[in-house]
Amino acid sequence: MSGLRERKKEATRAALSWAAVRLTVERGLSAVKVEDIAAAVGVSPRTYNNYFSSKAEAIAFRYLERSLRLAAELRHGPPGEPLWEAITRAALRQLEPGPEVERMPPQEPDEWAAGVRVMLAEPALEAEMLRASKIAEKELAAAIADRTGTDPGSDLYPRLVAASVMAANNVALELFVQGGTGEPMEVLLPRTLRMVAAGLPTP
Amino acid sequence: MSGLRERKKEATRAALSWAAVRLTVERGLSAVKVEDIAAAVGVSPRTYNNYFSSKAEAIAFRYLERSLRLAAELRHGPPGEPLWEAITRAALRQLEPGPEVERMPPQEPDEWAAGVRVMLAEPALEAEMLRASKIAEKELAAAIADRTGTDPGSDLYPRLVAASVMAANNVALELFVQGGTGEPMEVLLPRTLRMVAAGLPTP
DNA sequence: CGCAAATATACGCGCCACGCAACTTTCCCT
DNA sequence: AGGGAAAGTTGCGTGGCGCGTATATTTGCG
């Protein structure tokens, strides 16, 4: 599992993904060629395609990884904890910056945030992010099914909870990057989760 | 709005979309070239690209249209109706086959259903369907905001409700096409909607 | 009936996903 | 430790696709 091979592979994948994000934020998606991303990491363009089958997939990979951590956290928590508390804790935990952030200190936070907004507006990106969401949702449904003793193949409950959690997550994230209110994710996310957990009666 | 021009355009778009679906169900996505779709409708390949920028988009268009009807139904219903009743009614209304179905009588329902399953398994398709979902979700959020007097730009409520409704819709649809239980959409959908509306406590 | 605008088509270019066949690196077993 | 198997990397080549541009054709409107 943690042989030299696997670790090197993951390092290359992360490097490619990160390079793709950085270049896209700097120049815009269409101005970045696959060749550029590969060159930035020091591999051949062909190798790039062994890791990611499109530019969008490389960029969305970072989001996918973070989303998958939600399900992983849920599995590794204390089994006795009430479901929704465990979910909220796992969701908050996923917000903590991973070890990859320290590699790229954002020197110009404002400019970078603007670039990210432009990046997320790309339709191709949007589709790939949603796909990542759905992959994570499947993992999450499996984890919830484990916890609640339901069957993800035939029961509605785990799927619905997983879908609702991702919905809450995405709504909070949207509102955050859109920056309407200045509230941080640590505030928005628990609020949306509480709302979907409690139900959504007309206010 | 309903000039000859517009209607012809919509007819061409629908024909292209439908041809794309039919050919894909018959042969599989990669075996269908854009040229084939254009030829089946009788327009040039370049014209095809004026309507849809990818094969996936053409296929997902039918799903998009149906999903958008949900928001439209919600707007055209009686304004006094309680929100969740209106939503449920609109969601069920959207299931009724549109006028386009009568044009293509499915001669072999079983074979066709199998083809649809294969089609939906394509990753590129999945991404496009999700994108369509999100477009519809935005419309739905706007409609809900109208009804409840909230602001879709800054309030969590309409976005969360819209996201939850689409989540319920998609979960029901997944379970239906996957065919685990033999229950029809008319049963699954109200159930998932009731669940997300009432909240999702641990069972 | 004729002009303006919108749409369809023809041509062409550059990018990109991917199969194939060598070559190199890592792993595992004795 | 060492050697063969397995996995990863790379170069080459190909076909399809997204799209810009220019031109022809059709529709809408006065």
Side-chain angles (χ1 to χ4, degrees):
Chain A
M1 177 60 166
S2 66
L4 211 182
R5 216 167 192 151
E6 328 273 332
R7 273 183 295 119
K8 242 187 156 174
K9 218 178 152 187
E10 284 319 297
T12 305
R13 173 175 269 117
L16 282 172
S17 167
W18 186 256
V21 169
R22 185 175 55 83
L23 290 173
T24 302
V25 167
E26 286 175 6
R27 307 183 203 169
L29 184 62
S30 61
V32 178
K33 316 282 165 242
V34 167
E35 190 186 339
D36 302 335
I37 304 173
V41 176
V43 298
S44 81
R46 185 62 185 83
T47 297
Y48 167 88
N49 273 26
N50 289 343
Y51 284 94
F52 300 110
S53 59
S54 74
K55 277 186 286 181
E57 193 179 331
I59 295 171
F61 176 70
R62 335 211 78 244
Y63 173 72
L64 170 63
E65 224 182 4
R66 278 219 335 221
S67 301
L68 284 177
R69 267 197 303 203
L70 208 166
E73 292 284 352
L74 195 59
R75 278 188 208 275
H76 290 50
E81 197 176 11
L83 179 64
W84 282 97
E85 290 178 24
I87 287 174
T88 304
R89 211 175 35 73
L92 285 174
R93 202 99 186 280
Q94 159 222 201
L95 293 181
E96 298 170 9
E100 74 272 7
V101 176
E102 64 204 21
R103 295 216 178 187
M104 193 278 189
Q107 298 152 342
E108 306 290 346
D110 287 353
E111 199 172 339
W112 192 75
V116 168
R117 253 191 295 278
V118 171
M119 182 177 78
L120 295 182
E122 295 275 352
L125 254 295
E126 192 184 2
E128 207 54 39
M129 299 267 292
L130 291 170
R131 207 162 78 90
S133 257
K134 225 201 112 230
I135 294 173
E137 185 184 315
K138 272 195 185 121
E139 280 302 311
L140 188 56
I144 293 171
D146 268 8
R147 236 175 202 276
T148 57
T150 49
D151 174 23
S154 61
D155 284 344
L156 285 175
Y157 185 76
R159 287 181 188 236
L160 258 188
V161 173
S164 298
V165 169
M166 292 307 292
N169 193 35
N170 290 342
V171 167
L173 188 60
E174 263 174 50
L175 219 73
F176 174 67
V177 306
Q178 178 188 310
T181 78
E183 296 174 295
M185 280 297 280
E186 286 80 9
V187 170
L188 289 173
L189 190 48
R191 193 184 305 162
T192 55
L193 285 173
R194 235 178 299 124
M195 287 172 79
V196 295
L200 296 160
T202 331
Chain B
M1 177 60 167
S2 67
L4 213 183
R5 215 167 194 148
E6 329 271 331
R7 275 185 291 119
K8 239 187 158 176
K9 215 177 156 191
E10 285 318 298
T12 306
R13 171 174 271 116
L16 283 171
S17 168
W18 185 257
V21 168
R22 186 175 54 83
L23 290 173
T24 303
V25 166
E26 285 174 7
R27 310 183 202 168
L29 184 62
S30 61
V32 178
K33 314 285 166 239
V34 167
E35 190 187 339
D36 303 335
I37 304 172
V41 176
V43 298
S44 81
R46 184 62 185 84
T47 297
Y48 167 89
N49 273 31
N50 288 344
Y51 285 94
F52 300 110
S53 59
S54 74
K55 278 186 285 181
E57 193 178 329
I59 296 170
F61 176 70
R62 333 211 79 245
Y63 173 73
L64 171 63
E65 225 181 4
R66 278 217 337 220
S67 300
L68 283 177
R69 267 196 304 204
L70 208 166
E73 292 284 352
L74 195 58
R75 280 216 162 89
H76 289 49
E81 197 177 11
L83 180 64
W84 282 97
E85 289 179 25
I87 288 174
T88 305
R89 210 175 36 74
L92 286 174
R93 202 99 186 280
Q94 158 221 204
L95 294 181
E96 298 169 9
E100 75 274 6
V101 175
E102 63 204 23
R103 296 216 176 187
M104 192 277 188
Q107 298 152 342
E108 305 289 346
D110 289 353
E111 199 173 337
W112 193 76
V116 169
R117 253 192 295 279
V118 170
M119 182 176 79
L120 294 182
E122 296 275 352
L125 256 294
E126 193 185 3
E128 207 55 37
M129 299 267 293
L130 291 170
R131 207 161 79 89
S133 257
K134 226 203 113 226
I135 293 172
E137 185 185 315
K138 274 195 184 121
E139 280 303 311
L140 188 56
I144 293 171
D146 268 8
R147 238 175 200 277
T148 57
T150 49
D151 173 24
S154 61
D155 283 345
L156 286 175
Y157 185 78
R159 288 182 188 234
L160 258 188
V161 173
S164 298
V165 169
M166 292 308 293
N169 192 35
N170 290 342
V171 166
L173 187 60
E174 265 174 49
L175 218 72
F176 174 68
V177 306
Q178 178 188 312
T181 78
E183 296 174 293
M185 280 295 281
E186 287 78 11
V187 171
L188 289 173
L189 190 49
R191 194 184 304 163
T192 55
L193 285 173
R194 237 178 298 123
M195 287 173 78
V196 296
L200 296 160
T202 328

